[in-house]
Amino acid sequence: MFFKSNIFKLGMAILLGVIVLLLPRPEGTQFRINGDPGQQVLAAVDSHFSLAAAKKLKQGAYILKVRPEQPIENPGVHLNEQLKKMDLEGVSMDYVDGLAPKGKRFLAMLAGLIFLFIVEPIPLEITAILIGVFLVIMGVSGVEGAWAPYMHPVVLFIMCCLIFAIALDKAGITRRLGMFIIKKAGTSVTRFTFIIAIGLGLASSFMHDAAACAVGIVTMLPLMRAAGIDPNTRTARFMMLSLPFACSAGGMGSLVGGGRNMVAAAFLKEFTGIELTFFDWILYAMPAAMLTVPIAVFVVYLVYRPDPTIALPKFDEEMGPWTRHEIVTLIIVGLAFLTWLTKGIHGIHYSITGMLAVALLAVTRCLTWEDINDNLEWGTALFIFGGGISLGLAMGYSGAGEFFANLFFPLIQGKGWLVMFIGVGVFGAIVTNAMANVAAAALILPIVIPMAQMEGVDPRVLALCLGMACSFAYLLVIGCPPNAIAYSYRYFKSSDLTRLGLVVMPILLSVLVLVAAVWWHILGLV
């Protein structure tokens, strides 16, 4: 059918962008003048503008607001023309409560891209590449600015994590882990699923959540088949949905658990100069991961209770002694984690120490280039993560982020960090179902960081909140890689996941709020 064709979907994406482009652009009443310590611009336009009170502006910057008694049509255009006439070196103007022309072009592009991400008429990797292309075509960014985020340090860091997962799998350490869990669990379906899901869920704090989920499924599937567990039964749903839900929740525990955490930390540093180190993230987020992982599995158990008469086969294969290959791999990966944990002492970026560890794995022949080339998801690592970062940075630099911050700020002004935390958490958890959680974090942070600064809330609170809430992409199969990996085996329907997600997501968000109110209060963060 034509309505399901890729041509129709592409046409709809373009139409959405054109509609946004044709909408009226809010001009606003306040404008920030940069690089004018003598306030020469104010002196030239004081018949229509006055000085607005503002906090924490850079030296030489101030905000002008339109005089209500002397309104002027298109004040932004008027100010721009005035700046051109004065030709002052280093002086520029930004929109504060209005939408800059560049910001509007960005939003038109964003509308079309989000539609492409949801309906997928072309592979997501290609859509992610188009982000850089459209940023240049729409005049939002220069060529170098558009492509540089595709090789952002965060992208390289995520690649290190994925390569470590390949190394651990090749060495047989993941298989050893699976066998250990099976021996502890015995033949009980419920006990086995709880142990493997909670174990890998917590482990996913320190390995990519998608990798942890994949390890669990390849361990679980042979046993399910041997026990005669059919697809789309309550037992199959319980076993196959426990893993992605636990691994996604556990991914919030450290910076390496998922790309959204690293993106949240990177954007916080980019926009505020404040750094959340590897240790900081564990300190604030790990308690939430330790609570939400078992709670997620328990809720899955309550919704899809397994058949108690089904027994798993016994597993009596001996694991054997540790091999040199396993020991060397474990030492190198462990050293990498140690350098990440101590970044506050030596100051070397995670991507540098991570790539040094990858080189060591190659030198010691624990990993070959062919292993990396054949098993690394290059498209995901380079294009989807890089495209998400490029989009998020453009949201901030185009002025669109500040526009939305000023639009929504009155709704939460004066209501404290908790209202802001809950709003951002719910918004992030919902939005992340429609796009990669890296992209969701990258898009929302440039909006909420200015809001936090205006409200006097520590921006670290919202960066942590968003990175963690984006772990709850439980409503759609495309919400996060663990969902997609589990669904690909067809042991449950997408509607089973959505039905479960509607129960699990609000419960885990409530736990997140509780952890922030109690644990972060004890640490003095809120």
Side-chain angles (χ1 to χ4, degrees):
M1 289 179 64
F2 175 71
F3 293 113
K4 292 185 179 179
S5 68
N6 289 340
I7 296 294
F8 176 76
K9 292 172 183 174
L10 284 170
M12 285 299 296
I14 295 171
L15 181 63
L16 271 175
V18 172
I19 290 173
V20 173
L21 206 56
L22 294 176
L23 290 174
R25 182 174 61 81
E27 185 74 352
T29 58
Q30 296 194 20
F31 306 88
R32 184 172 56 248
I33 304 298
N34 306 300
D36 183 20
Q39 299 189 345
Q40 297 177 68
V41 178
L42 172 62
V45 299
D46 62 355
S47 58
H48 294 292
F49 296 89
S50 61
L51 201 60
K55 300 176 182 177
K56 296 181 181 177
L57 288 179
K58 292 179 182 175
Q59 190 174 6
Y62 55 93
I63 292 180
L64 296 178
K65 64 178 181 181
V66 177
R67 289 183 182 276
E69 69 277 12
Q70 292 288 339
I72 183 173
E73 192 174 351
N74 297 324
V77 176
H78 178 81
L79 268 178
N80 259 325
E81 290 174 350
Q82 189 63 39
L83 284 176
K84 285 179 184 174
K85 284 182 189 173
M86 296 177 73
D87 194 24
L88 298 172
E89 187 177 353
V91 178
S92 63
M93 184 272 283
D94 291 324
Y95 287 69
V96 173
D97 58 351
L99 182 61
K102 185 190 288 186
K104 190 179 181 187
R105 294 196 299 274
F106 170 79
L107 292 180
M109 184 195 87
L110 180 63
L113 284 170
I114 289 177
F115 186 80
L116 292 179
F117 271 120
I118 294 174
V119 300
E120 292 187 64
I122 51 179
L124 292 185
E125 290 81 358
I126 303 299
T127 304
I129 293 174
L130 289 178
I131 291 170
V133 174
F134 288 137
L135 284 175
V136 176
I137 290 176
M138 298 296 281
V140 178
S141 175
V143 175
E144 290 185 2
W147 293 123
Y150 288 81
M151 200 48 76
H152 194 279
V154 171
V155 174
L156 289 169
F157 173 74
I158 292 169
M159 286 175 64
C160 292
C161 298
L162 296 175
I163 294 172
F164 287 171
I166 294 169
L168 291 171
D169 191 45
K170 182 186 177 186
I173 295 171
T174 52
R175 184 170 178 275
R176 183 179 287 277
L177 172 68
M179 290 170 65
F180 174 78
I181 293 171
I182 293 166
K183 287 198 172 186
K184 292 289 180 186
T187 59
S188 166
V189 166
T190 303
R191 191 175 175 195
F192 170 81
T193 306
F194 264 89
I195 291 177
I196 194 170
I198 293 174
L200 285 173
L202 294 176
S204 68
S205 290
F206 299 98
M207 58 191 291
H208 199 278
D209 52 9
C213 184
V215 168
I217 287 178
V218 296
T219 305
M220 183 183 280
L221 267 179
L223 295 172
M224 292 178 69
R225 288 169 181 152
I229 298 172
D230 295 323
N232 298 314
T233 59
R234 295 179 68 84
T235 304
R237 292 178 190 129
F238 166 62
M239 297 183 78
M240 292 297 279
L241 283 167
S242 291
L243 272 170
F245 276 51
C247 290
S248 293
M252 73 170 77
S254 83
L255 279 178
V256 300
R260 68 248 179 212
N261 304 341
M262 202 64 198
V263 165
F267 274 47
L268 180 69
K269 179 75 184 285
E270 185 82 27
F271 291 117
T272 67
I274 301 172
E275 182 171 15
L276 274 171
T277 64
F278 195 85
F279 179 77
D280 289 338
W281 194 283
I282 292 175
L283 181 66
Y284 294 126
M286 199 60 202
M290 293 173 70
L291 284 173
T292 53
V293 167
I295 290 174
V297 181
F298 185 63
V299 176
V300 179
Y301 171 77
L302 293 179
V303 175
Y304 295 121
R305 281 181 183 272
D307 184 346
T309 64
I310 296 177
L312 297 174
K314 291 184 179 177
F315 197 83
D316 55 5
E317 183 182 339
E318 288 298 325
M319 287 184 277
W322 284 78
T323 64
R324 175 192 169 278
H325 187 179
E326 287 175 308
I327 294 170
V328 173
T329 301
L330 210 54
I331 289 174
I332 293 173
V333 174
L335 284 173
F337 276 98
L338 188 62
T339 59
W340 291 346
L341 279 169
T342 54
K343 178 180 179 293
I345 299 173
H346 53 72
I348 303 174
H349 193 268
Y350 309 107
S351 60
I352 302 299
T353 47
M355 280 300 172
L356 278 175
V358 170
L360 268 179
L361 287 169
V363 168
T364 54
R365 298 187 177 280
C366 293
L367 210 56
T368 65
W369 173 249
E370 287 71 25
D371 295 325
I372 299 172
N373 191 48
D374 295 344
N375 297 292
L376 183 63
E377 293 289 341
W378 293 99
T380 302
L382 283 175
F383 303 141
I384 293 183
F385 289 133
I389 293 171
S390 185
L391 204 58
L393 288 174
M395 168 75 93
Y397 296 145
S398 70
E402 191 164 357
F403 168 72
F404 283 117
N406 279 288
L407 191 66
F408 295 124
F409 178 64
L411 300 176
I412 51 92
Q413 187 175 16
K415 295 178 181 173
W417 74 270
L418 189 57
V419 171
M420 186 177 282
F421 184 95
I422 294 171
V424 169
V426 172
F427 187 54
I430 292 173
V431 169
T432 193
N433 284 279
M435 62 182 71
N437 46 32
V438 170
L443 277 176
I444 300 171
L445 266 173
I447 299 173
V448 299
I449 285 177
M451 288 172 64
Q453 291 171 323
M454 286 188 280
E455 182 68 357
V457 173
D458 190 332
R460 292 179 298 171
V461 173
L462 294 190
L464 283 161
C465 168
L466 195 58
M468 295 162 76
C470 285
S471 300
F472 304 145
Y474 292 150
L475 298 182
L476 297 175
V477 169
I478 62 167
C480 63
N483 293 356
I485 290 169
Y487 177 74
S488 65
Y489 294 92
R490 299 294 192 271
Y491 269 74
F492 60 87
K493 296 177 181 175
S494 62
S495 57
D496 297 327
L497 183 142
T498 303
R499 191 180 306 121
L500 180 64
L502 288 171
V503 179
V504 175
M505 196 171 78
I507 292 174
L508 298 195
L509 278 171
S510 302
V511 174
L512 191 59
V513 173
L514 184 66
V515 169
V518 177
W519 179 238
W520 294 4
H521 179 71
I522 293 171
L523 296 176
L525 186 63
V526 296

